[in-house]
């Protein structure tokens, strides 16, 4: 069974940095697009950004220039480096991957930006 296991997250002050990682396991299928979504309290889940197997990236306008997505195909891992964090970045962050054409999601990790 496919699992996406996230790590990182936590509490950080405005202007600070935080990094998340997510590793896929339990499948021998090809991992296509990987990425991150987030959901703030009372809001719908929204795209943060995605990265293809060939490392082409796409970002939401709200995080462009502040967040960077990368991946290590050998480790089946995707990373999210978040800089210049703002209170409005506070949300549960979910890892996402397409594995053998099936959508998979991580369990979510809380990121809180507050002084």
């Amino acid at each position: 069974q496919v699992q996406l296991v996230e790590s990182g997250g936590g509490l950080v002050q405005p202007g600070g940095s935080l990094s998340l990682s997510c590793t896929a396991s339990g499948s021998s299928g090809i991992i296509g697009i990987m990425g991150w979504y987030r959901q703030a309290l009372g809001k719908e889940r929204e795209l943060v950004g995605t990265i293809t197997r060939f490392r082409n990236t796409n970002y939401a306008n709200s995080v462009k220039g502040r967040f960077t997505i990368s991946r290590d195909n050998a480790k089946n891992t995707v990373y999210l480096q978040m800089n210049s964090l703002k209170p409005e970045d506070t949300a549960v962050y979910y890892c996402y991957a397409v594995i053998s054409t099936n959508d998979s999601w991580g369990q979510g990790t809380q990121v809180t930006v507050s002084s």
Side-chain angles (χ1 to χ4, degrees):
Q1 183 171 348
V2 175
Q3 275 192 314
L4 296 180
V5 179
E6 299 147 346
S7 62
L11 174 64
V12 64
Q13 292 188 342
S17 298
L18 211 55
S19 62
L20 307 179
S21 65
C22 170
T23 299
S25 63
S27 173
S28 60
I30 293 175
I31 301 177
I33 288 177
M34 302 185 81
W36 297 90
Y37 284 71
R38 68 186 182 185
Q39 187 167 17
L41 196 62
K43 296 188 177 181
E44 294 187 353
R45 190 173 298 189
E46 64 176 7
L47 172 72
V48 175
T50 59
I51 183 167
T52 70
R53 187 168 183 82
F54 304 102
R55 297 182 175 84
N56 296 312
T57 56
N58 176 57
Y59 296 97
N61 287 334
S62 58
V63 306
K64 277 182 183 176
R66 300 188 298 122
F67 290 12
T68 302
I69 295 176
S70 59
R71 67 187 282 173
D72 184 332
N73 290 334
K75 295 181 179 179
N76 293 336
T77 299
V78 62
Y79 306 94
L80 178 64
Q81 177 64 41
M82 303 180 287
N83 299 327
S84 301
L85 282 160
K86 305 174 181 180
E88 51 263 44
D89 294 318
T90 295
V92 177
Y93 283 69
Y94 295 91
C95 175
Y96 165 78
V98 177
I99 303 175
S100 297
T101 73
N102 296 316
D103 292 348
S104 295
W105 293 89
Q107 78 283 2
T109 185
Q110 178 70 44
V111 171
T112 302
V113 184
S114 175
S115 55

